[in-house]
Amino acid sequence: MATRLDLDNPRWDQGTFEGRAKHFFTTTNPLNVLATDEQLDAAKALVLAYRAGTEPEGTTDEQVWEAKHLYDSAFHPDTGEKLFLLGRMSFQVPGNMSITGCMMTFYRTTPAVIFWQWMNQSFNAIVNYTNRNASAGVTNDQLMQAYAGATTASVATALALNKAIASTPALSQGIVGRLVPMVAVAAANCVNIPLMRQREVIEGIDVQDATGKTIGKSKEAAKESLRQVVPSRILMAMPAMFVPPVVMERLERTALLRRMPILKAPCTVLLTGMMLSLSTPLCCAIFPQTATLPVAKVEPDLQEICKSKGVDKIYFNKGL
């Protein structure tokens, strides 16, 4: 009898960076956003049928894996619900390249800074909420607090830095001025993600044993999730916000862009998309999607439960 595929885990070994990178290059592929609802529902149906052993006769392993990759790109790992299109990691490249490209092109005036930082944090708020650990609820008030806090942090940082370097034209008009949006985004991510997912830290998130059985909730697991997600998301944005400004600083001196300055924004957006297409899957792969903690590092009451069940390590979805 042929060996059945293990669809409870990704196709590649998630214990290695290479395996995680292959998984995320597949699931964050921007082409996945072109899949119709019918295609997504068909992929989910095949995955569920295969798990139940009722897949259509003649179904190949490759067909099952293709369905699983599409399923993983569009459905939440905790709830199985279809993710909002703009919040899917496969939408990161097309969504972020436009916003980030414009944020780095139009960064010199206060209205432009406010508008594009607001646009960026609006998009980030959608992504952070969509990819949270769904075992902890979040209220509308908390969503608005996170949204307002991150937007305020990013706009304030960008405006403060622009003001600080305004007295030195060589800085404000040069590469330093171009990097202001990058610093603002890093500051905002330190606010947006923890605020958007604060309920996880307050209430705790579901944790499982090695067999996947839920054994309780842990606030320490939620904190560990944020310690992994925040730096990953900051690093994800860095290449797309550092390389294009450096390259554009040189390109804008060329005869072509001096003659046709209208090409500056499209060039910046294209460079940003190229960087994001690499940084998104690679930074998602820095830490395993299913995180672990030794029982000794969780709450005392949960430690007692784990010890009674012979569990020495807990597992949980850290989110993205």
Side-chain angles (χ1 to χ4, degrees):
M1 180 180 292
T3 303
R4 300 286 291 178
L5 304 177
D6 178 12
L7 297 190
D8 291 332
N9 294 296
R11 184 174 190 173
W12 298 279
D13 180 11
Q14 297 301 284
T16 68
F17 177 77
E18 180 183 358
R20 295 193 296 272
K22 287 181 178 179
H23 170 67
F24 283 111
F25 266 109
T26 302
T27 57
T28 66
N29 184 344
L31 295 177
N32 289 338
V33 302
L34 300 178
T36 64
D37 283 340
E38 290 76 15
Q39 289 173 317
L40 294 177
D41 291 340
K44 180 178 182 178
L46 179 55
V47 169
L48 295 179
Y50 188 87
R51 283 174 171 163
T54 58
E55 74 276 10
E57 186 177 351
T59 300
T60 66
D61 288 354
E62 192 60 35
Q63 288 174 324
V64 175
W65 279 125
E66 287 179 2
K68 179 65 163 54
H69 296 155
L70 195 56
Y71 173 81
D72 286 345
S73 77
F75 293 87
H76 197 283
D78 291 336
T79 65
E81 295 178 354
K82 190 179 297 179
L83 300 172
F84 180 49
L85 177 63
L86 301 185
R88 298 174 194 168
M89 276 298 170
S90 54
F91 194 78
Q92 274 287 93
V93 173
N96 247 336
M97 66 185 286
S98 303
I99 295 173
T100 304
C102 289
M103 192 163 45
M104 292 186 297
T105 301
F106 310 109
Y107 62 91
R108 291 174 180 168
T109 67
T110 297
V113 168
I114 293 174
F115 177 77
W116 287 110
Q117 290 291 343
W118 167 72
M119 282 289 291
N120 186 55
Q121 290 313 315
S122 297
F123 181 69
N124 282 346
I126 293 172
V127 173
N128 293 338
Y129 177 74
T130 303
N131 293 283
R132 74 200 184 285
N133 181 300
S135 64
V138 60
T139 67
N140 289 335
D141 286 345
Q142 289 163 347
L143 288 176
M144 290 308 299
Q145 289 172 10
Y147 179 49
T151 303
T152 300
S154 63
V155 171
T157 302
L159 292 179
L161 289 174
N162 278 344
K163 183 177 180 180
I165 65 176
S167 58
T168 310
L171 294 180
S172 61
Q173 301 298 320
I175 189 63
V176 174
R178 291 176 180 274
L179 294 178
V180 166
M182 180 180 73
V183 180
V185 167
N189 276 340
C190 292
V191 175
N192 194 328
I193 299 172
L195 282 178
M196 187 63 68
R197 298 177 58 174
Q198 62 180 300
R199 207 69 205 162
E200 298 176 27
V201 177
I202 296 172
E203 297 182 354
I205 58 176
D206 287 347
V207 296
Q208 294 83 31
D209 60 18
T211 66
K213 182 179 180 181
T214 299
I215 52 179
K217 286 183 175 287
S218 172
K219 298 175 184 178
E220 293 302 319
K223 294 176 184 177
E224 180 62 23
S225 294
L226 294 181
R227 284 193 286 266
Q228 295 183 15
V229 170
V230 171
S232 296
R233 292 290 292 280
I234 290 175
L235 288 172
M236 188 185 298
M238 292 304 97
M241 302 197 75
F242 180 80
V243 175
V246 172
V247 174
M248 289 305 298
E249 178 74 7
R250 293 180 177 274
L251 289 181
E252 287 182 9
R253 299 173 188 169
T254 63
L256 176 63
L257 288 191
R258 286 187 176 184
R259 190 171 64 253
M260 302 180 67
I262 195 173
L263 294 177
K264 292 179 182 179
C267 287
T268 303
V269 170
L270 181 61
L271 285 169
T272 302
M274 292 170 61
M275 292 299 100
L276 283 171
S277 65
L278 294 175
S279 66
T280 297
L282 291 178
C283 290
C284 282
I286 292 175
F287 299 102
Q289 176 75 51
T290 300
T292 62
L293 264 185
V295 168
K297 292 187 176 182
V298 302
E299 296 86 338
D301 57 336
L302 185 58
Q303 286 187 32
E304 292 302 318
I305 295 175
C306 291
K307 290 177 181 177
S308 68
K309 297 177 179 293
V311 175
D312 60 1
K313 183 186 294 184
I314 59 170
Y315 300 79
F316 51 94
N317 171 31
K318 69 174 178 60
L320 294 172

